[in-house]
């Protein structure tokens, strides 16, 4: 069952999402060679609590960490470790928070040092596909329209679109209806309605779409060992159109990146 949010609830969810956005922006300055993902995890937990929120992942489904940090061939759900990041790595950091009784859930893939051109291209296309998908999130369209748009954009470049893991509705629970696959057929699936809030999160592999789970029971990796990239935004349908509640602006500011990719999906100017 899809749980529709009021405009007031959507504004509360925006606050929850921005806690995560600010956390990722803080981490952007710390993600570098020699740092461990366990160190990043501790920084994130402290930062979230300082903002008056609670880590959204910690304890959820017995998750032992605040962050899920997926390095190189890890797709998602990577548990933090004491292994230092090194030059040329990429790390997808997925983070959640709870504030005002609502979840925020948001992810960004970071580059460490001199990343291979092929991997940079994978990052670029995956990030583009997120906004291609968001553009389809409008009243009257369907889940399959979003999935088709993401799949078409990524497969045109020869990349693998993960099937086993999908985006989801978001609200007072981390995972609500509807599921939001990154693949699909136009005109299929549940119809979008005013007040829906979803997390759209392309998980795109540099080779095969096939994945496997490691023995830790959490980390999902590509079967062929090629890198994988993950980006995620929280989006509401407001006045029939997609309204991004989260933002990469804090990350971009920390990294010196200029971008206007979110502007068309934001009805109010974002004040950093």
């Amino acid at each position: 069952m899809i749980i529709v949010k009021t405009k007031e609830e959507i504004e509360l969810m925006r606050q929850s999402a921005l806690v995560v956005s600010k956390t990722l922006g803080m981490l952007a300055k710390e993600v570098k060679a020699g740092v461990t993902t366990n160190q990043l995890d501790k920084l994130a937990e402290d930062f979230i609590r300082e903002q008056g929120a609670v880590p959204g992942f910690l304890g959820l489904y017995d998750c032992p960490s605040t962050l899920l940090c997926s390095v190189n061939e890890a797709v998602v759900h990577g548990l933090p470790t004491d292994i230092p990041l090194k030059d040329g790595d990429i790390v997808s950091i997925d983070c959640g928070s709870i504030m005002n009784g609502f979840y925020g859930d948001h992810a960004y893939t970071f580059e460490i040092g001199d990343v291979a051109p092929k991997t940079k291209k994978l990052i670029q296309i995956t990030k583009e596909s997120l906004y291609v998908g968001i553009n389809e999130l409008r009243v009257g369209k369907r889940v399959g329209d979003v999935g088709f748009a993401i799949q078409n954009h990524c497969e045109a470049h020869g990349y693998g679109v993960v099937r086993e893991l999908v985006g989801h509705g978001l609200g007072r629970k981390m995972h609500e209806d509807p599921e939001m696959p990154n693949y699909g057929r136009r005109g299929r699936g549940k119809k979008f309605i005013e007040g829906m809030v979803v997390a759209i999160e392309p998980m795109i592999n540099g080779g095969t779409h096939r994945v496997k789970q490691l023995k830790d029971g959490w980390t999902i990796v590509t079967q062929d060992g090629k890198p994988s990239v993950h980006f995620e935004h929280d989006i509401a349908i407001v006045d029939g159109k997609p309204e991004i509640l989260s933002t990469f602006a804090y990350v971009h500011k920390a990294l010196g990146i200029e971008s206007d990719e979110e502007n068309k999906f934001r009805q109010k100017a974002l004040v950093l």
Side-chain angles (χ1 to χ4, degrees), residues 120-184:
K120 282 180 173 287
K121 183 69 172 179
L122 174 63
I123 291 171
Q124 174 194 334
I125 297 303
T126 303
K127 196 178 186 193
E128 288 175 2
S129 78
L130 172 60
Y131 296 103
V132 167
I134 290 171
N135 194 54
E136 299 295 319
L137 190 71
R138 300 173 185 272
V139 167
K141 290 205 167 191
R142 294 180 180 271
V143 166
D145 296 321
V146 172
F148 175 86
I150 293 172
Q151 180 181 13
N152 187 59
H153 188 77
C154 294
E155 289 186 348
H157 293 272
Y159 299 139
V161 179
V162 174
R163 304 298 201 272
E164 291 86 346
L165 302 142
V166 299
H168 51 89
L170 190 71
R172 293 190 182 277
K173 295 182 179 180
M174 174 65 77
H175 297 109
E176 296 183 353
D177 283 339
E179 289 191 345
M180 296 292 298
N182 297 303
Y183 59 93

Side-chain angles (χ1 to χ4, degrees), residues 236-254:
I237 297 181
V238 179
D239 298 331
K241 300 178 294 185
E243 169 78 5
I244 293 182
L245 306 182
S246 50
T247 183
F248 293 148
Y250 295 99
V251 171
H252 291 163
K253 184 177 181 180

Side-chain angles (χ1 to χ4, degrees), residues 1-149:
M1 180 181 71
I2 294 172
I3 302 173
V4 172
K5 280 74 178 180
T6 65
K7 288 193 174 181
E8 291 75 18
E9 288 175 324
I10 287 170
E11 288 309 308
L12 292 176
M13 291 196 69
R14 190 192 305 275
Q15 294 178 31
S16 304
L18 289 178
V19 167
V20 180
S21 301
K22 292 173 183 176
T23 304
L24 291 173
M26 177 275 295
L27 292 172
K29 301 176 183 178
E30 306 296 334
V31 176
K32 60 189 71 172
V35 173
T36 72
T37 48
N38 263 332
Q39 290 173 320
L40 298 176
D41 187 68
K42 174 61 175 165
L43 289 172
E45 180 178 354
D46 291 346
F47 187 86
I48 289 169
R49 295 189 188 281
E50 286 167 4
Q51 295 182 82
V54 176
F57 294 172
L58 187 61
L60 182 70
Y61 311 127
D62 296 323
C63 180
S65 57
T66 293
L67 301 177
L68 294 170
C69 301
S70 304
V71 180
N72 296 332
E73 73 275 11
V75 181
V76 287
H77 301 169
L79 295 181
T81 72
D82 289 322
I83 300 171
L85 296 169
K86 63 182 185 299
D87 185 76
D89 283 346
I90 61 171
V91 57
S92 300
I93 298 182
D94 196 356
C95 180
S97 72
I98 308 170
M99 180 181 263
N100 307 313
F102 289 98
Y103 278 91
D105 179 22
H106 192 19
Y108 194 93
T109 297
F110 295 91
E111 302 176 24
I112 294 93
D114 188 16
V115 171
K118 282 187 178 181
T119 304
K120 282 180 173 287
K121 183 69 172 179
L122 174 63
I123 291 171
Q124 174 194 334
I125 297 303
T126 303
K127 196 178 186 193
E128 288 175 2
S129 78
L130 172 60
Y131 296 103
V132 167
I134 290 171
N135 194 54
E136 299 295 319
L137 190 71
R138 300 173 185 272
V139 167
K141 290 205 167 191
R142 294 180 180 271
V143 166
D145 296 321
V146 172
F148 175 86

Side-chain angles (χ1 to χ4, degrees), residues 192-205:
F192 298 132
I193 56 177
E194 182 75 11
M196 286 180 63
V197 180
V198 299
I200 295 177
E201 49 180 320
M203 291 158 273
I204 309 301
N205 300 343

